[in-house]
Amino acid sequence: MLFNNKYREEIIEAVFEKTNFCFVVVNREGLITYLNKNYCDFIEVTLDDVLGKHVTDVIENTRMHIVAETGTEEIADLQYIKGNHMIANRIPLFAEGELVGAVGTVLYKDTEEWKKMNSHVKALLLEIENYQKKLRNPKGATYSLNDIVGSSIQINDIKEKIKKVSSGDASILLEGGSGTGKELFAHSIHHLSERSAKPFIKVNCAAIPVDLLESELFGYEGGAFTGAKKEGKKGKFQLADGGTLFLDEIGDMPLTAQVKILRALQEGEIEAVGTEKTQKIDVRIISATNQSIEELIKENRFREDLYYRINVISIKIPPLKERAEDIRVTAKFLLRKITQRTGKRVVSFSDAVMHFFMHYDWPGNVRELENVIESAVHLTNTEMIELEDLPDHMQQSLYITEDGMGLKEILSRAEKQALLHAIHKSNGDKIKAADLLGIGKSSFYEKIKKYDL
């Protein structure tokens, strides 16, 4: 049985008011004739306030007026509304063959679903559009998830976890050795969060003198102490208000400052040095440490209650030596980055160097790898980084004590034998020999000259 007109109002209410969609209807001039409650609630307006207004005055980045004018539908278009990337459909409305307006829908009414979708879309956009670095707020994050190089299972799992947790406000603790890239991950979380348009403020807890840490974190009133500016100074918490505060090396923070940070997280308020007046603040805390906080707690050097506050979500970043499959791609990425900056033409690493990289312990992790490559770029006289181009402090690591032969000598002998075998197999045709080894002609002749073959 077909529904008759007496159910018309119930059908309209079910479709437009009781679904997880936002609806807007405009006439041919782009004036709003209908906005359902979901949409009103999301953009914080009332229907009475917006009826008859031009849609561009009510909904940011809208194209409803264009569709109402051209009659061309737009399906699954990204629209940025109130800090979120939404999926919008815009359909022209015709009556008796004449264009009379347009109806628009926006997906994902649920706030948490919006946030998750928003983080996912941002991650995709960061991969294909790196323009945000050029437009970033001077106080914003510098790096994105796109800057974290690696394809190991561990790194991919961390990236996926970051996409899941970035949209919320939960405190995050990044744990990993020195040079593993904790700061890059912190920047990435801020980039994908709902706070990405607000400040990202970093505090290196290990670099600030103990007697200045409190005033650096919470600011001070004018005349609070000798040498204080008469107008006072904002602290890192005030500067990060609405955004993200990154507490690097939090394990080195003195207990006195830990007490005040705990209060800031519990009460959402801080107290500047030199005043008893409290100030409300809204910050998301991301912390990082290369120490075991559990051990610091046992030694009474870190408050257990603060630990539980900052460790709502824990992300452990593995050392480079535990994800050897990332070394090759990371080394090549860093080489491109360094040569672009220095202007020196160095295109690759010898097989011996890459073999050494894959088996070295990397106590300084990615930071050490970058420093080693930069040093080698400056030291090499060719387009290929060889073992002898590595910095002096690593030369000792090239050698092992096994039957009196060092690793460098073993690798050289293996390379020389491979060259001789390829030349023999190709009956002296050096171009074919280079093909057999999978190396370029110029690289092959460099090695022939090196070993005097």
Side-chain angles (χ1 to χ4, degrees):
M1 176 177 94
L2 296 176
F3 292 114
N4 57 36
N5 283 339
K6 77 174 185 175
Y7 298 115
R8 182 173 179 272
E9 291 184 6
E10 286 82 359
I11 294 171
I12 291 175
E13 182 181 7
V15 172
F16 289 95
E17 297 294 350
K18 294 186 177 179
T19 61
N20 289 344
F21 292 84
C22 293
F23 285 89
V24 59
V25 182
V26 301
N27 63 16
R28 183 69 186 273
E29 289 71 42
L31 304 179
I32 293 177
T33 60
Y34 178 76
L35 195 71
N36 77 335
K37 188 175 185 302
N38 287 338
Y39 220 152
C40 287
D41 291 345
F42 178 54
I43 61 175
E44 300 176 331
V45 298
T46 64
L47 181 59
D48 291 339
D49 289 337
V50 301
L51 282 177
K53 287 187 176 180
H54 197 272
V55 67
T56 57
D57 295 327
V58 178
I59 302 172
E60 63 183 307
N61 300 312
T62 183
R63 291 176 52 85
M64 288 293 296
H65 57 300
I66 298 174
V67 174
E69 180 181 354
T70 64
T72 304
E73 70 177 23
E74 297 179 354
I75 303 297
D77 187 35
L78 284 180
Q79 184 175 343
Y80 195 75
I81 309 174
K82 291 180 70 65
N84 295 277
H85 288 95
M86 316 297 286
I87 297 179
N89 296 320
R90 309 178 189 97
I91 310 295
L93 292 175
F94 293 88
E96 298 179 349
E98 181 183 352
L99 181 63
V100 296
V103 60
T105 65
V106 170
L107 300 181
Y108 302 105
K109 180 256 177 187
D110 180 75
T111 303
E112 290 305 314
E113 195 171 3
W114 255 332
K115 289 180 179 179
K116 291 175 183 176
M117 182 65 189
N118 188 40
S119 287
H120 180 63
V121 171
K122 282 182 179 178
L124 294 177
L125 291 177
L126 285 168
E127 291 179 8
I128 61 175
E129 295 184 62
N130 216 12
Y131 68 88
Q132 284 192 354
K133 285 187 178 179
K134 298 177 182 177
L135 302 176
R136 66 180 182 268
N137 186 308
K139 292 182 180 178
T142 305
Y143 305 104
S144 70
L145 211 56
N146 200 42
D147 293 301
I148 299 172
V149 180
S151 56
S152 63
I153 294 174
Q154 299 99 311
I155 289 297
N156 286 336
D157 285 347
I158 292 173
K159 287 182 177 181
E160 288 304 312
K161 189 173 184 179
I162 284 176
K163 290 176 185 178
K164 291 177 183 178
V165 304
S166 292
S167 62
D169 278 334
S171 298
I172 296 177
L173 178 63
L174 302 171
E175 299 178 273
S178 177
T180 50
K182 297 185 291 296
E183 185 171 347
L184 268 69
F185 287 100
H187 283 240
S188 301
I189 293 166
H190 177 77
H191 251 308
L192 296 179
S193 75
E194 303 301 305
R195 298 171 178 263
S196 57
K198 298 293 184 178
F200 175 91
I201 303 296
K202 175 189 173 182
V203 179
N204 189 332
C205 301
I208 302 174
V210 174
D211 55 336
L212 294 179
L213 185 58
E214 205 168 312
S215 60
E216 282 291 317
L217 287 174
F218 309 109
Y220 59 81
E221 292 290 304
F225 50 84
T226 303
K229 295 180 180 179
K230 62 179 181 180
E231 67 274 18
K233 181 184 176 182
K234 288 185 176 181
K236 302 297 186 183
F237 269 89
Q238 291 99 320
L239 293 173
D241 194 23
T244 302
L245 183 63
F246 176 45
L247 300 176
D248 197 12
E249 306 300 350
I250 194 170
D252 292 308
M253 179 174 290
L255 288 168
T256 52
Q258 291 179 32
V259 175
K260 297 195 76 172
I261 284 185
L262 180 61
R263 179 185 175 186
L265 297 181
Q266 287 177 330
E267 308 297 335
E269 61 184 27
I270 61 170
E271 191 177 290
V273 176
T275 180
E276 295 181 358
K277 184 173 64 175
T278 60
Q279 177 184 349
K280 287 289 183 182
I281 49 95
D282 171 29
V283 297
R284 183 188 198 173
I285 297 291
I286 301 177
S287 307
T289 182
N290 60 8
Q291 304 180 66
S292 169
I293 300 293
E294 289 90 344
E295 289 299 318
L296 294 178
I297 292 171
K298 291 177 183 177
E299 297 168 5
N300 294 319
R301 293 167 54 198
F302 202 91
R303 293 182 62 97
E304 188 172 12
D305 45 6
L306 177 59
Y307 173 62
Y308 292 125
R309 282 282 178 178
I310 64 172
N311 191 32
V312 176
I313 297 170
S314 176
I315 297 177
K316 290 181 170 60
I317 304 168
L320 192 57
K321 65 181 180 180
E322 290 183 9
R323 44 188 180 92
E325 58 267 48
D326 286 337
I327 292 175
R328 187 180 299 274
V329 65
T330 303
K332 290 181 177 180
F333 171 82
L334 292 172
L335 180 63
R336 286 195 302 270
K337 171 184 166 184
I338 291 164
T339 52
Q340 285 173 3
R341 185 175 71 242
T342 61
K344 189 169 182 181
R345 180 173 171 78
V346 181
V347 297
S348 190
F349 307 91
S350 71
D351 293 341
V353 169
M354 190 56 72
H355 186 276
F356 172 70
F357 281 177
M358 298 290 286
H359 293 85
Y360 181 63
D361 221 21
W362 298 112
N365 293 294
V366 179
R367 186 183 295 121
E368 182 184 6
L369 176 60
E370 182 170 9
N371 290 342
V372 166
I373 293 172
E374 183 163 10
S375 174
V377 165
H378 288 290
L379 291 171
T380 187
N381 293 318
T382 69
E383 295 182 357
M384 179 83 68
I385 292 177
E386 301 285 355
L387 287 173
E388 55 264 29
D389 299 321
L390 299 182
D392 291 342
H393 76 273
M394 296 196 77
Q395 291 295 328
Q396 295 178 0
S397 300
L398 292 171
Y399 298 96
I400 56 176
T401 56
E402 182 180 330
D403 299 326
M405 187 182 293
L407 176 60
K408 185 175 181 180
E409 187 178 350
I410 292 171
L411 292 173
S412 294
R413 287 191 180 187
E415 188 174 52
K416 184 177 180 180
Q417 287 299 318
L419 290 166
L420 288 169
H421 179 72
I423 292 170
H424 175 73
K425 193 170 183 180
S426 59
N427 295 317
D429 188 328
K430 293 181 179 178
I431 294 177
K432 286 184 179 179
D435 288 337
L436 285 173
L437 292 169
I439 60 177
K441 186 170 66 173
S442 60
S443 177
F444 180 82
Y445 279 107
E446 283 178 9
K447 295 179 187 297
I448 289 292
K449 183 178 179 182
K450 175 182 176 181
Y451 295 112
D452 195 25
L453 299 177

